[in-house]
Amino acid sequence: MAISRPRRREKKLRREGTEKKREQKKDWTKKKIKEITEVVQTMADEEFDALPESLRETLKYLRK
């Protein structure tokens, strides 16, 4: 049984909508990473050292 034309179009539109949402999520994630990086870089050494050990290890590469 062949797929009708409207069904193919519906599938294409659904796929395009999913791709658009995916791009929006990527943009949001990039923005948040940039904000976090800026905050970590502007932290004083005392503030950074006051963070829990696991968090310090995770954010250490952002301090460069």
Side-chain angles (χ1 to χ4, degrees):
M1 185 172 151
I3 297 175
S4 66
R5 290 181 196 267
R7 178 102 169 155
R8 274 189 253 152
R9 177 158 171 72
E10 179 182 315
K11 187 175 180 181
K12 180 182 175 189
L13 291 173
R14 192 176 324 125
R15 183 178 63 237
E16 289 171 355
T18 303
E19 290 170 359
K20 184 177 179 182
K21 287 180 185 176
R22 190 177 300 129
E23 287 301 317
Q24 288 173 343
K25 187 173 182 179
K26 283 182 184 178
D27 292 342
W28 181 86
T29 304
K30 287 179 185 177
K31 181 181 174 188
K32 288 299 175 185
I33 290 172
K34 185 177 179 181
E35 289 176 8
I36 292 169
T37 302
E38 290 172 358
V39 168
V40 170
Q41 289 176 345
T42 58
M43 289 176 80
D45 290 336
E46 296 82 24
E47 292 174 323
F48 189 75
D49 292 338
L51 294 173
E53 181 68 29
S54 60
L55 189 55
R56 261 188 309 202
E57 289 297 317
T58 305
L59 299 175
K60 183 171 51 177
Y61 76 97
L62 295 176
R63 296 273 298 172
K64 296 179 182 178

